[in-house]
Amino acid sequence: QVQLVESGGGWVQAGGSLRLSCAASGRTFSYAVGWFRQAPGKEREFVAVISRSGVITDYVEAVKGRFTISRDNAKNTVYLQMNSLKPEDTAVYYCAAVHQEISRWLGDYWGQGTQVTVSS
């Protein structure tokens, strides 16, 4: 079993920064971990993923150059550093232990989500 708890969300003005954390317990660190987000009225979308070792990362085009995913396996924590935030980044952000099917990352275990609100 895997448990994930997100934190670090909040309100920020456009151009600001936030760092999200995903604290894990259980067998999480045998998994790659991804961040996803869901804006009001929209489907949940992939944001970023990091491999088990932390060597490989990938991002959705919309956040490349602004967001950085990292992990500290000693602390069982994955981070999402978000810089140059835009109003369109407003969403509930979820972390998930993931696996890859063809070209998609699918969540096996999910956290409860943390709200990020970016004002213009």
Side-chain angles (χ1 to χ4, degrees), residues 106-120:
L106 301 179
D108 296 306
Y109 300 96
W110 293 87
Q112 82 290 348
T114 186
Q115 176 70 47
V116 171
T117 303
V118 185
S119 65
S120 57

Side-chain angles (χ1 to χ4, degrees), residues 17-32:
S17 298
L18 286 173
R19 188 177 80 157
L20 306 183
S21 298
C22 173
S25 60
R27 296 173 55 233
T28 313
F29 279 73
S30 63
Y31 284 87

Side-chain angles (χ1 to χ4, degrees), residues 31-95:
Y31 284 87
V33 175
W35 284 96
F36 298 76
R37 65 186 180 186
Q38 187 167 20
K42 295 187 177 181
E43 294 187 353
R44 187 164 53 194
E45 66 170 348
F46 165 81
V47 176
V49 66
I50 189 165
S51 64
R52 287 174 289 178
S53 65
V55 171
I56 299 171
T57 60
D58 195 17
Y59 301 88
V60 68
E61 192 65 33
V63 308
K64 284 182 179 178
R66 300 189 298 122
F67 290 12
T68 303
I69 190 170
S70 62
R71 68 192 294 164
D72 184 338
N73 287 349
K75 296 182 178 179
N76 285 354
T77 302
V78 173
Y79 305 97
L80 186 68
Q81 178 67 43
M82 306 186 296
N83 299 329
S84 302
L85 282 161
K86 304 175 181 180
E88 51 263 43
D89 294 318
T90 295
V92 178
Y93 283 71
Y94 300 88
C95 68

